[in-house]
Amino acid sequence: MADDEDLGLDDNLEDDGGKTKKRGGAGGFLPSLLKWVAIGVGAIILIVVVVIITMNIMNKNGSGTVSVVPATSQYTGKTESLDWYQSIGSISTSTVDNPPASVIVEVVLGYKTDDKTASTEITKRQIEIKNFLRQYFSSKSKSQLKGVQNEKKLSMEIRNSINDDILQNSKIRDVLFLQLNVVE
């Protein structure tokens, strides 16, 4: 029974009782091309409809999905406004080089604006911070202390060490050098 039904999908053959002739050339190519274009357009329509229905089900209200990424200073390039602790003063030490070089540094610590806890804790631990800074710069060589890139690295290392090892109830956000002189 299935053999008796002819769907007519074979474009180049016609069943006319044994007298089959093959149609060739441009006459057979155009219907075949149109058939495949129609199949492609139908597939695209089906895919679009499935995606729209799926997105509507996922959103439940039909509105589009919008991802909002919070804009922090890390992504926008803007720095936050900080209060600066400037009472540490100048620290003098020498490098590990042979012969050693003299280092004179003045450091300021940045913390969140109006963070009274950080200000109080930094003040209470000022002697520990000065001692840490003296030991830190004494462990460095001349080459590790010179250059803008090295200053950024030093600043990050000092910030992380003070936050991890000295401060307990607050965190500093930034470390800047008002003076960093290496005298050979």
Side-chain angles (χ1 to χ4, degrees), residues 47-59:
I47 291 169
V48 169
V49 167
V50 168
V51 168
I52 290 172
I53 291 172
T54 303
M55 293 303 291
N56 285 337
I57 291 171
M58 288 177 60
N59 292 334

Side-chain angles (χ1 to χ4, degrees), residues 9-60:
L9 293 178
D10 51 345
D11 294 329
N12 296 330
L13 297 176
E14 288 187 14
D15 188 18
D16 52 349
K19 299 179 185 175
T20 59
K21 286 189 177 180
K22 197 172 191 180
R23 287 191 308 181
F29 176 72
L30 186 61
S32 178
L33 177 67
L34 290 176
K35 174 180 74 174
W36 287 109
V37 167
I39 290 172
V41 169
I44 291 173
I45 291 172
L46 178 67
I47 291 169
V48 169
V49 167
V50 168
V51 168
I52 290 172
I53 291 172
T54 303
M55 293 303 291
N56 285 337
I57 291 171
M58 288 177 60
N59 292 334
K60 295 190 184 187

Side-chain angles (χ1 to χ4, degrees), residues 4-184:
D4 294 339
E5 296 177 11
D6 186 18
L7 298 177
L9 293 178
D10 51 345
D11 294 329
N12 296 330
L13 297 176
E14 288 187 14
D15 188 18
D16 52 349
K19 299 179 185 175
T20 59
K21 286 189 177 180
K22 197 172 191 180
R23 287 191 308 181
F29 176 72
L30 186 61
S32 178
L33 177 67
L34 290 176
K35 174 180 74 174
W36 287 109
V37 167
I39 290 172
V41 169
I44 291 173
I45 291 172
L46 178 67
I47 291 169
V48 169
V49 167
V50 168
V51 168
I52 290 172
I53 291 172
T54 303
M55 293 303 291
N56 285 337
I57 291 171
M58 288 177 60
N59 292 334
K60 295 190 184 187
N61 61 359
S63 65
T65 303
V66 177
S67 297
V68 178
V69 177
T72 63
S73 62
Q74 181 180 7
Y75 300 112
T76 59
K78 296 179 183 175
T79 58
E80 63 183 322
S81 178
L82 300 175
D83 283 341
W84 296 94
Y85 185 81
Q86 300 181 16
S87 298
I88 294 176
S90 187
I91 298 170
S92 298
T93 188
S94 57
T95 62
V96 296
D97 299 311
N98 192 7
S102 295
V103 179
I104 302 168
V105 63
E106 189 172 348
V107 176
V108 293
L109 306 176
Y111 55 91
K112 275 187 176 180
T113 303
D114 299 326
D115 186 357
K116 300 302 179 197
T117 306
S119 176
T120 304
E121 188 172 11
I122 292 169
T123 302
K124 287 181 180 178
R125 298 185 179 273
Q126 181 177 355
I127 301 300
E128 294 173 65
I129 293 170
K130 281 184 175 182
N131 186 51
F132 163 74
L133 291 171
R134 185 187 51 76
Q135 290 175 352
Y136 178 81
F137 286 103
S138 294
S139 69
K140 299 293 182 184
S141 66
K142 293 182 281 193
S143 62
Q144 291 174 314
L145 298 175
K146 291 184 177 180
V148 175
Q149 291 293 30
N150 287 342
E151 281 189 26
K152 291 178 182 179
K153 182 180 176 187
L154 294 170
S155 176
M156 287 180 12
E157 287 177 359
I158 291 170
R159 181 196 66 204
N160 292 340
S161 294
I162 290 174
N163 284 338
D164 295 343
D165 301 333
I166 298 173
L167 299 179
Q168 296 173 354
N169 300 322
S170 59
K171 302 287 182 201
I172 58 172
R173 300 284 184 178
D174 200 3
V175 174
L176 294 180
F177 303 107
L178 296 180
Q179 177 183 6
L180 178 56
N181 296 332
V182 180
V183 182
E184 299 180 35

